[in-house]
Amino acid sequence: MSLLQVCDLTVRIGSTAIVDRVSFSIAERQTFALLGESGCGKSMTALALMRLLPAVAKVTGGAVELNQTDLLRLPEYAMRRVRGAQVGMVFQEPMVSLNPVMRVGQQIIEVLACHAVAPPAQQQAEAVRLLQAVGIPEAERRLAAYPFELSGGMKQRIMIAMALAGSPRLLVADEPTTALDVTLQKQVLNLLRQLQQQRGMGMLLITHDLGVVAEMADQVGVMYAGELVELASREALFARPQHPYTQALFAAQPRSDRRDQSLRALPGMVSRPLQGCRLAPRCPKVEALCLQAAPDLLEMAEGHSVRCHFAGPAVPIGSAATSVPPTAEETPLLQVQDLAVHFPIRSGLLQRVTGHVRAVDGVSLAIRRGRTLALVGESGCGKTTVGRAILQLLKASSGSVRFAGAELNGLDRRAMQPYRRAMQVIFQDPYSSLNPRMRVADILEEGMLALGVGKTAAERQAAGLRLLEQVGLPAEAAERYPHEFSGGQRQRIAIARALAVKPQIIICDEPTSALDVSVQAQILNLLRQLQQKQGLGYLFISHNLAVVGYLADEVAVMYLGRIVESGPVQQIMQSPAHPYTQLLLSAVPSMDGTGKHTGQLASGELPSPIHPPAGCHFHPRCPHAMDECAKTYPEATALPGEHIVRCHLCKAG
Amino acid sequence: MSIQPVIFPSDILLGVLLAGGLLLVWLARRHGYFLEPWLRVGQSATGMATATVLLLYLAVGVLDSLHYRPALPAENAAKTVEYSPEVMSVLDALLSPLKNGTEKTYSAPLAVHLYGKETMTRADGQQVRDYPPALYGGAQRPAIGSLLLRGLLLSLPVWLVLWGGWRLARRRRSPLRWDAALLTAGLLAWLGLSVYELAAHYHVLGTDKVGQDVLYQSMKSVRTGLLIGTLTTLVMLPFSLLMGAFAGYFKGWVDDLIQYIYTTLSSIPGVLLIAAAVLIMQSWMDQHPDWFATVAERADARLMALCFILGLTSWTSLARLIRGETMKLVELDYVAAATAFGVSHRRIILRHILPNLMHIVMISVVMDFSGLVLAEAVLSYVGVGVDPTMASWGNMINGARLEMAREPVVWWQLAAAFVFMFTLVLAANLFSDTVQTAFDPRTRQREAA
Ligand SMILES: Nc1ncnc2c1ncn2[C@@H]1O[C@H](COP(=O)(O)OP(=O)(O)OP(=O)(O)O)[C@@H](O)[C@H]1O
Ligand code: SF4
Ligand code: SF4
Ligand SMILES: [Mg+2]
């Protein structure tokens, strides 16, 4: 008996169907994952069945039945009772979903009162029970906290607690872990799975991450451009994906074992041809029939439906050029020694410095020409700060940054100018990294102008066009403004801007974490190709270990402002020595689709860099902590093969 | 008849402002991002309707800013042309019947006789005490009804033209709400033509204490209100922009200093500061009567000075807004990217900060406008506003205040000033609301979501 039955649901904005005849059903205790890239209509589907669509979007057809009642025909007052009491909802951004000026306890009690779950006298106790259920320690004390006092993972737990307050039968989770680190993602996913088992809820899980699907889903629906293109059980989907788009999603996953080839990404971006199959402009299997007739969603095997004329085993996308790693030079181009950045905390009337945020606390790195050094770690561990301090966008408190032997720390604006050409940066957020008021041509020209690359305007313009071609954008892009481009295209523009001054080192601060997998694959290919051609050195800041395993040559793992382990990528990925690295790796969802939940559970969260724990910073979370760990910070131990680790365990063994 | 053009400083500034407006239009045509919010304003009926009203006011103000001195009637065919000492404007010329059709004293709107009874000698020598007839409009006046009808008939061709315009807009599938603008224009044309017909024979809004036509005065006041509302912002804008952007960009001691200045300034009660400044300026002008050739020149100088004083005392709130927004912008990655290129501070402020502050500037300019128009009225009422000889709604209200106690009440001066000002302020406020929603980046996000 299915709990939720969605039948031919269609949502339109203007005349375009952003959700086009989508049908699926969810049984009790079942998790249905809706998988797709940004803009394919997954969130709109969820909002439509909660009847929370923005004013511009209208449901123009279909039915949504929850326990045999059609939600689309309920009057609004009855629908309000359905939300929360029968369907709970968890959103992507825990930061904006909580009211910042109300204590979390009040907010939970408000929900309890609204659904009359408990009599007023017992609401407090019920709220405590809920917080305990979502694994928040010291629940009583946390009720009095304001949202800003809590970390991101904590806030997401509270959102889940609130969604559970009305004991819903169905939980709708829209990208519940996208804003979180791998470790927190693991914790939250485990929590969701546990709660679902206990309460026998159905769950609609919306995600763009195949890893999350592999961990959580029973049934999977793959969406492309508003349509469901494949519907299958998880096992079937991971074993035999039938639709070319699903196959492309798998092929685009960066993995360590694909290091020596470029990723196979679908070319171009999502478009909606007027006629025929929507994937036709990008599909590797496209034939004449696809351009004329749109395929229907047909059942291929028991419980496995595919929308494709030529469903079947995958054909390779393009040619996967094997990449030859460039020969590395021995002397590092950029050498960072004991770099520290301490932000002063000011308080009181006179704004006296009362403490320091030790964002970066003694970091040493070396970047070689033509090589990629990855800097990994949880959010807030100081990765971005390292990058900014190297670029001298922030003043380092101590330590040295040497470029080709010359000390950069302490140089003033003018003295720094010659080195600006050598080091450039690509940022995470493609939306805030380009000035919306400047044409692409001006954006590309800016650096050349400031650093005196290219003498005449014509020369610079020609260089700009060459750069656009290099990053795979059409020449006419030069005349347009950033808002006319998609996230991936903007990231290409940002790369072109960095390349404009012919740098030798590029600091990439999570350049793909805001992008979809297929776009990520395109950008990773581009970065790698540029490195091979121009011998660029990359400092690749990331929290995505799959990407690091694919792209990096060396890895440095950072915890609370310090490097705890560093070495060649194979060694770190295959035989991590530090317990923290082990924990990070075990938190990466396994992609085999068997649904085995292996690995130790990452517990706890990153402590505050204002008062780091004594001894080894990691000891409160470390499964192997010993007495000595709480007392002294471990010395660096050299393992064979330039593998360095800071852990008392390794020293002992 | 030959004329000698006269250009007052305020005329120049108004011209600069208009040129600035045209420049904006040009910019908007070149840069999509600038045109887009204005198109959104045009897609709202309120925006288009109020813009039409504001344009009408602007037209009156511009007509009143084209100043000249007419030649005096040539005496004895002398070769040299003498010009009148009185400065006229094109509006004066257009309204000359109203300007010259003065009475002896008060008369009510549309009245055929004056306000107070007088002892008159009739043709037969008998003395009677009665209301003297109004001089304006002649003895044989057409009835009001027939004049209104003529106004309606005259407006028919205008409606026809507007209807044609609407058809054109429909055919071109213009996304703008031309219907609202054209409807407003039609209604205004009907009202204007009716008043025009009436005004040929009646004082539509009565006369004031010295018999001047109130309608004429109200129209003359339009320029004063517009100038105060716009020039003040023009004066204050560079201050607010630079101070705010500097404070937000450089932080540290620059920020401390600028914050200190505006916190100090804004903790002095505004009216007090303005009153003090105006009084100083006034006495200073009184000591140097030789600086000004004509009364009008002097009044104009005083108006300009008032704009400056208002501007200098009111830049703080905008500066504060700009400082906050700049601080947010500085944290954005594209500023970091520019810094990584070693782009100079000046260029970063010019190319990355200021263009991204434009929406705040736009919003605050239109929002401040109505407040400033009202401020003029209040200040003139208190006696520290524009020159008493200058036509302004504040002066009209000030003049009317003593007469409110009379029986029957002399209400029309106050009412006229009120209606004219209210229409302008209401239109400006509604317009600024639509501008705000159109320029606010959050609106776009909401639409995109
Ligand atoms: N300007 C600042 N003033 C005070 N503290 C700061 C400042 N910038 C960063 N921090 C703090 O320094 C620490 C490290 O921040 P950083 O941005 O380098 O982390 P990160 O590893 O890049 O995280 P993420 O993965 O979320 O990008 C955090 O605790 C952060 O709150
Ligand atoms: S129908 Fe044709 S174009 Fe569409 S996915 Fe299948 S093979 Fe590709
Ligand atoms: S030093 Fe101790 S606490 Fe730190 S990682 Fe090693 S075993 Fe764990
Ligand atoms: Mg970061």
Side-chain angles (χ1 to χ4, degrees):
Chain A
M1 187 64 255
S2 62
L3 176 68
L4 179 82
Q5 184 94 44
V6 178
C7 196
D8 281 337
L9 181 68
T10 304
V11 179
R12 284 176 193 277
I13 291 184
S15 58
T16 35
I18 50 170
V19 175
D20 201 353
R21 286 167 294 138
V22 164
S23 311
F24 59 89
S25 64
I26 303 178
E28 286 192 2
R29 293 178 185 278
Q30 195 190 43
T31 300
F32 181 86
L34 213 47
L35 173 72
E37 296 183 294
S38 64
C40 72
K42 359 181 245 304
S43 290
M44 284 294 167
T45 310
L47 290 174
L49 53 94
M50 297 288 279
R51 299 242 316 257
L52 289 172
L53 284 174
V56 285
K58 298 267 179 310
V59 174
T60 55
V64 176
E65 281 185 9
L66 182 76
N67 284 330
Q68 274 83 46
T69 32
D70 189 345
L71 296 186
L72 297 182
R73 283 189 226 304
L74 280 187
E76 180 55 31
Y77 70 89
M79 192 61 211
R80 260 204 298 274
R81 250 173 299 162
V82 170
R83 289 183 209 124
Q86 296 192 47
V87 189
M89 195 148 185
V90 183
F91 295 95
Q92 170 171 1
E93 282 290 332
M95 327 301 163
V96 294
S97 312
L98 285 170
N99 181 345
V101 297
M102 260 169 91
R103 294 178 195 278
V104 293
Q106 278 172 297
Q107 301 192 41
I108 297 175
I109 287 174
E110 208 175 61
V111 181
L112 289 173
C114 173
H115 296 297
V117 183
Q122 286 163 32
Q123 281 170 359
Q124 183 83 14
E126 176 68 19
V128 171
R129 215 183 50 73
L130 276 171
L131 286 196
Q132 280 163 351
V134 295
I136 290 185
E138 301 177 83
E140 270 118 289
R141 201 167 61 80
R142 295 291 184 195
L143 283 182
Y146 286 99
F148 73 86
E149 299 173 50
L150 305 171
S151 66
M154 217 54 123
K155 277 187 248 187
Q156 194 58 294
R157 282 163 193 269
I158 286 173
M159 286 307 299
I160 294 173
M162 283 166 70
L164 293 178
S167 305
R169 307 301 314 134
L170 176 74
L171 191 66
V172 177
D174 188 353
E175 307 261 11
T177 57
T178 304
L180 305 177
D181 276 318
V182 262
T183 47
L184 291 177
Q185 162 164 316
K186 181 94 173 177
Q187 292 175 23
V188 170
L189 291 183
N190 278 346
L191 171 68
L192 283 175
R193 190 164 43 232
Q194 240 173 42
L195 291 167
Q196 187 190 19
Q197 303 291 313
Q198 283 164 12
R199 297 175 174 235
M201 291 184 297
M203 179 149 79
L204 172 62
L205 180 70
I206 293 172
T207 182
H208 68 273
D209 189 344
L210 266 176
V212 172
V213 176
E215 288 263 301
M216 302 288 291
D218 300 309
Q219 287 287 319
V220 188
V222 183
M223 279 186 89
Y224 181 79
E227 290 176 329
L228 270 183
V229 294
E230 185 159 5
L231 200 59
S233 68
R234 181 193 55 203
E235 289 80 9
L237 192 85
F238 278 74
R240 289 174 302 280
Q242 298 289 313
H243 195 276
Y245 177 68
T246 319
Q247 290 157 357
L249 282 183
F250 279 99
Q253 294 294 325
R255 291 203 320 234
S256 314
D257 54 3
R258 291 182 180 149
R259 287 182 55 78
D260 49 351
Q261 21 179 301
S262 53
L263 291 171
R264 295 157 184 270
L266 285 182
M269 11 174 236
V270 183
S271 61
R272 284 162 183 263
L274 295 174
Q275 203 191 0
C277 174
R278 294 196 178 165
L279 191 64
R282 309 172 67 190
C283 182
K285 282 176 151 184
V286 62
E287 297 199 16
L289 173 62
C290 310
L291 299 175
Q292 283 148 21
D296 286 323
L297 191 65
L298 295 177
E299 190 149 356
M300 307 272 303
E302 168 106 45
H304 194 154
S305 318
V306 184
R307 189 188 294 276
C308 174
H309 294 306
F310 305 102
V315 301
I317 305 162
S319 65
T322 46
S323 55
V324 211
T327 45
E329 286 175 30
E330 281 315 299
T331 48
L333 195 56
L334 184 82
Q335 183 101 44
V336 179
Q337 270 302 329
D338 297 324
L339 183 73
V341 183
H342 295 178
F343 296 108
I345 307 169
R346 294 170 196 278
S347 60
L349 202 59
L350 294 175
Q351 294 289 295
R352 270 209 311 246
V353 177
T354 55
H356 282 97
V357 182
R358 298 164 179 274
V360 177
D361 201 19
V363 162
S364 303
L365 302 167
I367 304 172
R368 286 167 229 275
R369 204 188 291 272
R371 305 288 273 177
T372 304
L373 169 68
L375 189 60
V376 299
E378 283 166 293
S379 177
C381 72
K383 309 184 292 290
T384 298
T385 313
V386 170
R388 293 195 173 223
I390 292 177
L391 288 164
Q392 306 295 318
L393 297 176
L394 276 175
K395 227 172 106 53
S397 313
S398 67
S400 87
V401 175
R402 289 170 176 275
F403 180 82
E407 176 64 49
L408 301 186
N409 273 358
L411 292 187
D412 63 13
R413 245 181 121 80
R414 181 172 311 204
M416 185 60 205
Q417 205 76 348
Y419 301 103
R420 294 260 178 235
R421 266 190 81 161
M423 294 192 298
Q424 272 309 311
V425 55
I426 303 168
F427 296 98
Q428 167 174 9
D429 179 3
Y431 290 88
S432 72
S433 66
L434 302 178
N435 185 346
R437 302 291 190 233
M438 277 164 80
R439 292 177 315 137
V440 171
D442 297 331
I443 291 175
L444 296 181
E445 199 181 358
E446 178 166 51
M448 299 193 241
L449 211 57
L451 294 174
V453 181
K455 284 182 195 61
T456 62
E459 215 170 298
R460 288 190 294 266
Q461 228 155 33
L465 292 182
R466 258 200 318 280
L467 286 165
L468 286 178
E469 194 195 318
Q470 225 172 4
V471 298
L473 287 174
E476 89 243 8
E479 296 305 313
R480 296 199 275 160
Y481 286 92
H483 71 92
E484 299 170 50
F485 297 94
S486 69
Q489 288 175 320
R490 281 160 172 257
Q491 208 58 301
R492 285 169 193 266
I493 297 171
I495 294 174
R497 172 177 64 184
L499 291 177
V501 296
K502 308 198 177 74
Q504 297 167 41
I505 286 182
I506 299 186
I507 294 177
C508 312
D509 191 352
E510 315 225 14
T512 60
S513 66
L515 306 176
D516 283 320
V517 251
S518 63
V519 184
Q520 164 173 293
Q522 293 171 0
I523 297 288
L524 291 179
N525 284 344
L526 175 64
L527 285 176
R528 174 165 273 184
Q529 178 201 337
L530 290 169
Q531 183 170 50
Q532 281 166 12
K533 278 202 197 127
Q534 310 187 1
L536 295 170
Y538 291 141
L539 175 62
F540 193 87
I541 299 175
S542 179
H543 65 257
N544 186 336
L545 289 161
V547 173
V548 168
Y550 170 72
L551 195 72
D553 300 303
E554 283 103 39
V555 181
V557 182
M558 195 167 176
Y559 188 74
L560 214 59
R562 298 196 182 165
I563 306 286
V564 295
E565 181 168 11
S566 64
V569 66
Q570 282 93 348
Q571 290 203 24
I572 303 275
M573 290 295 181
Q574 275 144 33
S575 49
H578 197 281
Y580 177 61
T581 317
Q582 293 163 359
L583 182 123
L584 281 183
L585 284 169
S586 72
V588 178
S590 66
M591 291 278 295
D592 55 5
T594 53
K596 279 187 303 232
H597 311 298
T598 50
Q600 74 214 80
L601 179 59
S603 67
E605 287 174 24
L606 196 69
S608 147
I610 303 172
H611 302 292
C616 172
H617 290 167
F618 188 56
H619 84 262
R621 297 167 74 185
C622 182
H624 310 295
M626 307 170 284
D627 290 344
E628 195 188 353
C629 302
K631 295 191 198 107
T632 53
Y633 194 85
E635 288 296 312
T637 314
L639 301 180
E642 292 188 41
H643 187 167
I644 296 171
V645 67
R646 284 171 175 271
C647 171
H648 290 306
L649 272 186
C650 302
K651 193 177 59 186
Chain B
M1 192 170 78
S2 68
I3 54 165
Q4 180 189 37
V6 178
I7 297 175
F8 287 135
S10 60
D11 298 340
I12 300 177
L13 283 185
L14 191 71
V16 169
L17 215 67
L18 285 178
L22 290 179
L23 185 77
L24 279 188
V25 172
W26 181 74
L27 271 180
R29 289 194 154 270
R30 272 200 47 194
H31 300 280
Y33 66 82
F34 210 87
L35 184 63
E36 198 189 333
W38 284 115
L39 282 180
R40 271 199 296 270
V41 172
Q43 280 159 15
S44 112
T46 327
M48 285 298 264
T50 50
T52 314
V53 175
L54 291 177
L55 274 180
L56 180 69
Y57 270 87
L58 184 68
V60 172
V62 169
L63 284 180
D64 201 12
S65 298
L66 303 173
H67 290 110
Y68 65 92
R69 282 160 73 175
L72 289 175
E75 285 171 33
N76 312 331
K79 284 270 151 48
T80 52
V81 191
E82 292 276 323
Y83 293 101
S84 140
E86 191 199 17
V87 179
M88 298 267 289
S89 74
V90 174
L91 186 75
D92 289 329
L94 291 176
L95 299 180
S96 58
L98 289 182
K99 180 172 190 276
N100 300 326
T102 52
E103 304 292 335
K104 243 188 292 178
T105 180
Y106 288 117
S107 67
L110 300 176
V112 293
H113 52 71
L114 298 187
Y115 173 78
K117 283 187 179 170
E118 268 177 33
T119 314
M120 292 177 293
T121 318
R122 270 205 269 177
D124 54 4
Q126 202 182 336
Q127 297 230 321
V128 288
R129 196 168 161 70
D130 198 0
Y131 296 107
L135 304 173
Y136 182 68
Q140 299 294 308
R141 289 188 180 83
I144 292 176
S146 72
L147 289 173
L148 282 178
L149 194 66
R150 279 178 56 179
L152 187 64
L153 288 178
L154 271 179
S155 65
L156 284 183
V158 179
W159 279 90
L160 216 63
V161 170
L162 294 177
W163 185 71
W166 183 65
R167 290 288 302 267
L168 191 70
R170 277 258 308 239
R171 184 134 30 87
R172 294 236 176 124
R173 294 176 193 284
S174 165
L176 306 186
R177 292 295 303 270
W178 286 110
D179 51 343
L182 295 173
L183 187 68
T184 315
L187 290 175
L188 286 174
W190 176 40
L191 184 73
L193 287 167
S194 305
V195 170
Y196 172 77
E197 282 298 321
L198 286 173
H201 303 281
Y202 295 89
H203 291 294
V204 181
L205 293 175
T207 55
D208 72 354
K209 189 169 184 173
V210 291
Q212 274 207 330
D213 188 87
V214 172
L215 178 64
Y216 170 71
Q217 277 185 333
S218 308
M219 306 235 329
K220 288 289 282 180
S221 305
V222 168
R223 175 174 184 267
T224 315
L226 284 181
L227 281 181
I228 297 248
T230 51
L231 291 191
T232 305
T233 328
L234 194 70
V235 170
M236 124 186 136
L237 213 55
F239 272 95
S240 317
L241 261 180
L242 285 186
M243 296 287 218
F246 274 36
Y249 182 79
F250 289 108
K251 311 218 178 85
W253 66 267
V254 181
D255 186 25
D256 289 344
L257 181 73
I258 291 172
Q259 272 199 73
Y260 178 80
I261 295 175
Y262 70 57
T263 322
T264 313
L265 262 184
S266 57
S267 58
I268 305 173
V271 180
L272 222 62
L273 198 62
I274 293 166
V278 170
L279 289 175
I280 293 171
M281 182 252 320
Q282 205 172 326
S283 66
W284 194 44
M285 279 185 171
D286 286 343
Q287 282 166 15
H288 302 278
D290 46 317
W291 286 0
F292 311 104
T294 57
V295 179
E297 210 169 292
R298 188 195 138 101
D300 188 73
R302 187 164 163 176
L303 175 71
M304 298 279 301
L306 185 67
C307 289
F308 271 88
I309 291 167
L310 278 174
L312 290 186
T313 51
S314 64
W315 61 272
T316 52
S317 62
L318 180 58
R320 203 175 298 212
L321 267 180
I322 296 219
R323 171 178 171 267
E325 187 69 17
T326 308
M327 289 189 139
K328 261 191 277 169
L329 289 176
V330 167
E331 292 303 317
L332 289 182
D333 289 340
Y334 57 78
V335 178
T339 315
F341 281 126
V343 177
S344 65
H345 292 310
R346 191 176 58 92
R347 259 185 97 77
I348 290 186
I349 292 182
L350 280 180
R351 305 212 46 182
H352 294 282
I353 307 287
L354 291 186
N356 286 294
L357 292 171
M358 264 346 199
H359 65 283
I360 296 197
V361 171
M362 233 45 247
I363 291 170
S364 79
V365 166
V366 282
M367 296 255 279
D368 285 353
F369 174 78
S370 52
L372 287 165
V373 171
L374 291 175
E376 184 276 328
V378 172
L379 291 177
S380 298
Y381 180 80
V382 181
V384 293
V386 296
D387 197 84
T389 60
M390 189 161 209
S392 93
W393 294 314
N395 278 341
M396 284 171 72
I397 294 172
N398 192 20
R401 99 185 125 152
L402 293 174
E403 314 300 338
M404 291 299 285
R406 281 171 81 153
E407 187 57 41
V409 181
V410 180
W411 51 269
W412 47 90
Q413 225 178 331
L414 188 70
F418 177 78
V419 168
F420 269 75
M421 196 157 67
F422 178 76
T423 314
L424 178 63
V425 168
L426 185 68
N429 277 344
L430 290 175
F431 185 69
S432 76
D433 274 353
T434 45
V435 168
Q436 183 168 19
T437 24
F439 274 81
D440 194 342
R442 270 168 299 178
T443 332
R444 244 168 301 162
Q445 275 166 21
R446 232 173 290 138
E447 277 171 8

